[in-house]
C-alpha cells in the first residue's frame, strides 16, 4: 500500500503524500486540491494531471470550474508551472483573475483537446504566462 494514498506517515515522516526532503507529491494527493487565485477566490479544484512522457514531468493540471455538484463544469488545462503550492492550506494558487479564467480556453469533460498538438500547447502556455493580470492583483 502506498502511504501517500491514505494520508498516513511515510518512512521519512512525511504525511499526505508530501516528502518534505524532496518535495514529492503523489498524484492522488494533488487531485481534488482546491485552486485559488491571489485574492483568495476559490477557482475550483484539480481534477487530473497530465504527464509529459518525453520529459517525465507534469505538463498540466486539469482544473474544473463553473459547475455545480460536478454538473456543467468546464475543464481548463493549466500549465503546471503556473500553479504554486500552498502547503499550509493544502491547495494551489494561480495568478489569474476569476473573470480571466472564465474566458480561458477550456473544454468539456466529454470532449478533450489533443494535448499533444503543438498549436494547442502554444495557445495554452501563452494564455497563462501572459502577465496582463499581474498588475491587477
Amino acid at each position: 500500500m502506498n502511504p501517500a494514498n491514505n494520508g498516513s506517515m511515510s518512512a521519512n515522516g512525511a504525511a499526505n503524500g508530501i516528502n518534505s526532503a524532496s518535495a514529492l507529491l503523489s498524484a492522488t494527493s494533488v487531485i481534488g486540491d482546491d485552486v485559488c487565485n491571489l485574492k483568495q477566490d476559490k477557482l475550483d479544484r484539480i481534477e487530473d494531471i497530465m504527464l509529459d512522457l518525453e520529459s517525465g514531468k507534469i505538463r498540466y493540471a486539469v482544473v474544473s470550474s463553473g459547475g455545480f455538484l460536478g454538473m456543467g463544469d468546464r475543464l481548463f488545462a493549466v500549465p503546471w508551472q503556473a500553479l504554486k503550492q500552498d502547503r499550509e492550506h493544502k491547495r494551489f494558487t494561480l495568478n489569474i483573475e476569476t473573470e480571466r479564467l472564465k474566458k480561458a480556453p477550456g473544454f468539456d469533460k466529454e470532449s478533450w483537446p489533443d494535448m499533444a498538438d503543438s498549436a494547442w500547447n502554444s495557445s495554452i502556455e501563452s494564455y497563462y504566462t501572459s502577465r496582463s493580470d499581474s498588475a491587477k492583483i
Side-chain angles (χ1 to χ4, degrees):
M1 175 185 273
N2 180 353
N5 291 336
N6 64 12
S8 64
M9 298 299 278
S10 65
N12 67 358
N16 297 323
I18 299 173
N19 177 336
S20 59
S22 61
L24 295 176
L25 296 171
S26 70
T28 56
S29 70
V30 171
I31 294 171
D33 280 1
D34 289 340
V35 178
C36 296
N37 65 17
L38 298 180
K39 291 183 176 181
Q40 307 306 314
D41 299 327
K42 183 179 174 190
L43 303 173
D44 221 314
R45 68 190 169 282
I46 296 175
E47 292 288 333
D48 211 340
I49 57 172
M50 302 303 294
L51 303 174
D52 182 329
L53 296 178
E54 290 182 15
S55 71
K57 296 181 180 182
I58 298 173
R59 184 76 177 263
Y60 300 106
V62 178
V63 176
S64 66
S65 187
F68 180 71
L69 298 176
M71 303 291 288
D73 283 351
R74 279 186 46 90
L75 300 177
F76 302 93
V78 177
W80 186 250
Q81 67 271 15
L83 294 166
K84 302 295 180 230
Q85 184 186 20
D86 178 352
R87 288 184 182 188
E88 180 180 347
H89 298 103
K90 195 183 177 311
R91 66 181 183 186
F92 288 83
T93 58
L94 177 63
N95 185 7
I96 194 167
E97 294 282 333
T98 304
E99 289 303 313
R100 182 160 168 81
L101 181 63
K102 289 179 183 177
K103 296 174 186 173
F107 54 97
D108 183 71
K109 287 182 180 184
E110 306 302 321
S111 181
W112 285 51
D114 177 4
M115 293 186 180
D117 177 60
S118 60
W120 183 86
N121 278 292
S122 293
S123 70
I124 295 300
E125 297 287 337
S126 66
Y127 192 86
Y128 288 99
T129 57
S130 167
R131 296 287 86 183
S132 61
D133 280 335
S134 296
K136 299 177 193 172
I137 297 178

